Amino acid sequence: MTDASAAFDRLAEARRVMESGLALLDGASVEDADVPAALGRIAAVVSEAGAYPAMREGIPAAELERFDDELEDLLRLNAVLTAAVKQDREALTQRLKATRESRRDLARQAPDVSEGSGGRCDVSG
């Protein structure tokens, strides 16, 4: 396998990982066990970004434009994925705030129970 084909294979794999991660985030539930694994794969792909300039050096001049186009597509996909994660994080933050406010409201509405109460209840009227 040549340096160029290995570089294109790595770009294609990075694209597949990001697309599958984006699809998973789009339809995932909170309980979905695949989400942490997908985020781990995406983090691994993103951590390889520093290798792309070195990979580019091994690309023949005739294929540089194709490499740059595929890398640009990958960067756009990363931006979309980043925006989706940010949107999910903001939605989760809003849900957490609403939950906290609901808990506070319930705590305020709960009657104060004094020490020693609850032993007997007279419902005879």
Side-chain angles (χ1 to χ4, degrees):
M1 183 179 283
T2 66
D3 287 345
S5 63
F8 283 109
D9 286 347
R10 285 177 70 183
L11 286 176
E13 178 60 22
R15 183 181 184 96
R16 277 190 295 277
V17 166
M18 287 188 173
E19 286 174 342
S20 68
L22 187 58
L24 185 63
L25 285 177
D26 187 40
S29 70
V30 175
E31 296 84 21
D32 198 334
D34 290 337
V35 172
L39 292 176
R41 289 189 298 271
I42 292 166
V45 164
V46 170
S47 71
E48 290 182 358
Y52 294 137
M55 287 173 27
R56 189 178 188 280
E57 291 175 8
I59 304 295
E63 294 188 57
L64 279 175
E65 186 174 345
R66 179 177 153 223
F67 180 85
D68 290 344
D69 288 345
E70 288 188 26
L71 184 57
E72 187 176 331
D73 287 345
L74 188 63
L75 293 174
R76 283 189 188 116
L77 187 57
N78 184 49
V80 169
L81 186 59
T82 301
V85 168
K86 182 179 178 185
Q87 183 178 5
D88 282 357
R89 184 180 64 210
E90 289 171 357
L92 179 60
T93 300
Q94 291 304 315
R95 280 186 246 144
L96 287 171
K97 284 180 184 177
T99 301
R100 282 189 210 114
E101 288 174 13
S102 295
R103 289 179 73 190
R104 273 184 280 199
D105 289 344
L106 285 173
R108 275 188 240 127
Q109 293 175 11
D112 289 331
V113 178
S114 60
E115 270 308 303
S117 67
R120 293 181 184 215
C121 181
D122 183 8
V123 292
S124 61

